[in-house]
Every structure is written in C-alpha cells, then in structure tokens.
Amino acid sequence: MAQDRSGDPRDADYIAAGNAPLAAALDADYQALGSQLARRGIDIDAVTRSAADFAVALPSWGVGTGGTRFARFPGPGEPRNVFEKLEDCAVIHRLTGATPTVSLHLPWDACEDYGALKAHATRLGVGFDAVNSNTFQDQRGQRESYKFGSLTHTAAAVRAQAVEHNLECIRIGGLLGSKALTLWIGDGANFPGQQHLARAFERYLDSAARIYAGLPAGWRLLIEHKMYEPAFYATVIQDWGSSLMAAQALGPQAFCLVDLGHHAPNVNIEMIVARLIHAGRLGGFHFNDSKYGDDDLDAGSIDPYRLFLVFNELVDAAWRQVPLQPAHMLDQSHNVTDPVESLMASAMELTRARAQALLVDRPALAALQEANDALLATQALKRAFTTDVAPILARARVSRGGAIDPLGLYRRSGYRGTCAAARPAAAGGSSSGIV
Ligand code: RM4
Ligand code: MN
Ligand code: MN
C-alpha cells in the first residue's frame, strides 16, 4: 500500500503511486456509469474528454486564509509572497489537473522582478490569467486616498491615480502573459445624498475609458459588479445593468464579469448569465458560493444546483453555437479550511457542474419546452444534475496527470507541514492581502 507515504504532491511519480491502488475500483465504476449513460444515448468518453478540457484560474489571494470583519486566523505554512503562492497553486494544479493559471491581485502580488516571477511560474507549470487591480484600499505611501472613491472620486487627482494604477496592472500583466484586466471598485456611498448617483457613474465611464484606451490588442477589460460592500447604500457598479452599460459604452474589448457572490440572495444568476450571453458581453466568472452576501465560500458548497444551472446556460450556448469564451476564475477566501484543499474542492465542483450540464438531453429538453411540459422539462435538468459523474471527473484528472483522490493524496503528502517548517510566518503579515 502506497497509502501512508508522505511526499511531494507535485511529483508525477508520487501521484501515480497514489493512484495505483484506486485504479481498479475507478475502472469498474467508470464502466458501470458508461453503460448507464449509453442507455441514455451518451458517449461517456466524449464527456470525459470535454471534462478534461475544462480549466479554471486560481485566485492568488485564495491560497492564504481570508478574514472576516472581525478577525483572521492564519494557518500554518501560508505563503508569504507571490512566489510561494505560485508554489501552492502548482500543487492544486498537479493534483486536480484543472487549474493551469493564476489570477494575480496588484499590488498585493507586486514584486521586484516579473521576469523571475514568470520563470518561476513556468518551472512550476502554471501561467497567468487576468490581473486584478486594487483601488479599494490605500497602500502605504500613496499620494491620494481612496476613502471617498477611486475611479469615480470627485477629485480629478484621485481618479488619475486610480487610472494610472490600472494601466500599471496592464503593463505588469503584459510582462507575465495575461490577456485581461479585472476591474472591481468599491466606490459608492453609505448614505443617501452622499454622492450624486448620475455624476458618479459618468465619472466612472470617463475613468474607465482612459483605462480602456491603454488595453493592448487581444486584451479584455472585465468589469465586475457587486451589489454592496464596502458601500452600503449605493455602489456605482452595483449590478449587471450598470456593468453592461459600461461595457457597451467602452467598446468591443469590454465585457461583464459575474461574481456569483455579488448579488442579492435568491437572485436568478443563471438568467443574468443568459442575458449577458445574448448581449455578447459575458466576459467571465468569479466562482464561489454564498448564503447571504459576498461570502466567498467554496464553489458549490451551499447551492450546487445553482452552479449546475449556470453551467447549463454555458453548455446550452455552446450547443447553440454562440461564440463564447468566458474566463473561468475562482474568487474565494475564508477562515476555517486549508486554502489549498478548499481551492481543490472548488475546482472539482466546477468540473462536476459542467460535466452534469453536458449530460442534459438538449434536443429532448427543447421539445419539452416547446410543448410547455413544465414537469418533464425540469426533470430533464434534474436527471442530469443527479447523475453521479465522479468516475468521469476522476478519469479526466488522471488523463491530465492528476490524482484520483486529490484531497486524500494532498493530506497524506504532508505538504502543509513541510510548508509550516519552510515558511515561518512573517510578523503581522497577511498573505492574502485580505483584512
Ligand atoms: C471583491 C471582489 C473582487 C476581489 C476582492 C478581493 O469583493 O470580489 O473580485 O478582487 O473582493
Ligand atoms: Mn470577485
Ligand atoms: Mn467579492
């Protein structure tokens, strides 16, 4: 039994040795599911190939423990800088095979030598997805304060500083091979009357146009909306309507980004996704889950059916041959789990939701919808959602060099303990940048 071995979870031999004792059971489960799906007219290998093609970017801020408004409880061996964050991201990618890129957050991930950072990433086998700017916090030594806003501030000097930071993010992203800038601002008002609602949006459009003008060819500007927090009365880009208006005003390289936690409870997010697909402006996702607000919990941990329904829209659009290439990114950071484990769990949940969506019998569903057969139509979705696709996911991971049981293998590797010894906590530091 190779079950008790500790080792490097990034090592292909270590993963192969961990997979060996589980392979026979997986084969049997895969065969059984294959016959079941064949009776439904589905070729399991085609689903597995498609599942193996799925990729989601990791948030650099997610490999550290996040905080709440009250406290942060860092775990042992958390990464202390962006180089160490990439090491953890590489572990997640090796074991799941689903997370080949990292989304950086600047200036949290600022470093002195981006050439060295890129070389480090290449050595680890990871690349870079969208860069995120940050004008929702003041940094030490910063000239102008964002206390009353950034891109929408009443003072031109503050807006100019925020625009310049975004242009700097584009420059850094360019050095690393990124092709998108994610723009989320916390600007807004806590009290009625505090801010002129119309003028704040006009200032946003003006500032965003200056950033847009600095986008290289082939880049996308991903505009992220969020209903509230830190502005509790009115947030300038609070919903997909504001985001879409901005994207349409800016030009063809501007798109809307949907963070699943950024809506009021019970909002029908899959319908927002459908509308943005229709408008040709769905740029991507920040995947996470939430019960009440911007909880940033693991994807699929609270409402896996909603996650499935979001993927159902994406798979349906592909089936209708709508040209669509949304960026998939995780955005999570919380307090009680090992972040590496949580990110692996989320990446696998996304792959699961998408694989389930691939099982929907679309011609049959379309016919049921035409016939207004509400009951059987909704059952058609449930049938796909309730199929246990675990053997498909495991096979897809193995085909990419990943683990049959990523979480088990990670725990047995002792990686966290190794990091605890190699990375003594920096005094007072917050590796995620959050709180
Ligand atoms: C925000 C938003 C952004 C993320 C920060 C950390 O609520 O989701 O995407 O960059 O949190
Ligand atoms: Mn987000
Ligand atoms: Mn958020």
Side-chain angles (χ1 to χ4, degrees):
M1 291 275 284
Q3 295 288 309
D4 298 325
R5 272 190 342 151
S6 60
D8 181 352
R10 286 171 303 216
D11 176 44
D13 291 339
Y14 176 75
I15 296 175
N19 284 345
L22 304 175
L26 173 58
D27 282 349
D29 291 350
Y30 191 81
Q31 296 297 337
L33 179 59
S35 342
Q36 191 200 120
L37 293 179
R39 286 194 295 277
R40 285 156 61 178
I42 300 168
D43 171 10
I44 191 172
D45 292 329
V47 179
T48 305
R49 277 194 300 276
S50 182
D53 278 345
F54 181 78
V56 60
L58 293 168
S60 69
W61 59 103
V63 286
T65 305
T68 69
R69 283 199 300 125
F70 299 100
R72 184 174 168 269
F73 299 96
E78 291 197 2
R80 298 160 302 177
N81 55 55
V82 64
F83 287 81
E84 292 178 353
K85 290 179 190 181
L86 292 187
E87 290 171 10
D88 288 3
C89 291
V91 170
I92 298 165
H93 181 46
R94 288 296 166 86
L95 290 170
T96 65
T99 59
T101 54
V102 182
S103 189
L104 294 189
H105 217 306
L106 296 165
W108 293 341
D109 294 322
C111 72
E112 269 160 28
D113 185 347
Y114 290 99
L117 184 63
K118 187 161 188 206
H120 183 62
T122 306
R123 262 195 310 278
L124 291 167
V126 294
F128 294 94
D129 206 277
V131 276
N132 298 257
S133 62
N134 176 345
T135 60
F136 48 85
Q137 280 177 328
D138 286 349
Q139 308 298 328
R140 199 170 300 136
Q142 187 177 302
R143 205 175 53 244
E144 310 287 344
S145 171
Y146 296 133
K147 177 169 181 176
F148 293 107
S150 59
L151 293 180
T152 77
H153 199 284
T154 48
V158 183
R159 300 199 298 276
Q161 177 181 284
V163 168
E164 179 47 41
H165 166 66
N166 277 280
L167 295 174
E168 172 75 357
C169 288
I170 294 172
R171 277 193 289 276
I172 292 170
L175 298 174
L176 297 172
S178 295
K179 288 270 181 263
L181 171 72
T182 298
L183 188 58
W184 175 71
I185 57 165
D187 294 31
N190 269 12
F191 298 100
Q194 179 188 331
Q195 186 178 61
H196 192 288
L197 299 181
R199 286 198 193 114
F201 188 57
E202 285 162 12
R203 289 193 292 264
Y204 176 84
L205 292 177
D206 183 73
S207 299
R210 292 168 204 268
I211 298 167
Y212 186 89
L215 278 182
W219 271 59
R220 290 177 167 204
L221 180 66
L222 302 175
I223 301 168
E224 181 175 2
H225 60 273
K226 169 163 160 169
M227 188 176 69
Y228 74 97
E229 193 199 24
F232 289 103
Y233 164 66
T235 289
V236 180
I237 304 296
Q238 63 128 5
D239 58 8
W240 69 278
S242 310
S243 173
L244 180 59
M245 276 193 277
Q248 288 173 332
L250 288 169
Q253 286 172 262
F255 293 85
C256 306
L257 183 139
V258 177
D259 182 315
L260 268 61
H262 286 191
H263 308 86
N266 297 329
V267 159
N268 187 336
I269 297 176
E270 59 271 24
M271 208 170 94
I272 294 173
V273 170
R275 292 292 177 270
L276 291 175
I277 291 173
H278 174 84
R281 296 287 178 159
L282 180 68
F285 293 90
H286 273 177
F287 288 109
N288 49 44
D289 213 339
S290 104
K291 180 74 178 165
Y292 301 106
D294 191 21
D295 305 342
D296 283 344
L297 300 176
D298 298 356
S301 61
I302 304 286
D303 190 349
Y305 194 46
R306 180 166 72 181
L307 189 61
F308 163 81
L309 292 171
V310 167
F311 275 101
N312 181 51
E313 292 305 318
L314 298 177
V315 172
D316 179 77
W319 182 65
R320 290 184 287 125
Q321 298 184 323
V322 178
L324 188 64
Q325 276 198 310
H328 302 130
M329 296 173 269
L330 292 171
D331 179 5
Q332 64 183 57
S333 180
H334 43 78
N335 241 349
V336 298
T337 60
D338 177 330
V340 168
E341 295 184 7
S342 265
L343 288 164
M344 288 200 289
S346 287
M348 291 189 283
E349 281 309 300
L350 297 186
T351 322
R352 183 192 316 282
R354 182 160 171 284
Q356 290 165 328
L358 290 169
L359 302 184
V360 173
D361 185 340
R362 299 210 174 264
L365 177 60
L368 292 165
Q369 289 169 342
E370 286 301 314
N372 297 307
D373 192 334
L375 189 106
L376 287 189
T378 205
Q379 290 291 328
L381 293 184
K382 271 291 172 66
R383 187 178 193 204
F385 175 68
T386 54
T387 306
D388 182 2
V389 295
I392 293 176
L393 306 186
R395 268 288 179 88
R397 281 195 298 276
V398 171
S399 77
R400 290 195 288 193
I404 293 176
D405 175 17
L407 290 169
L409 207 52
Y410 171 76
R411 287 230 172 158
R412 284 194 297 280
S413 75
Y415 179 77
R416 184 56 66 192
T418 310
C419 289
R423 302 171 178 172
S430 163
S431 59
S432 72
I434 296 173
V435 182

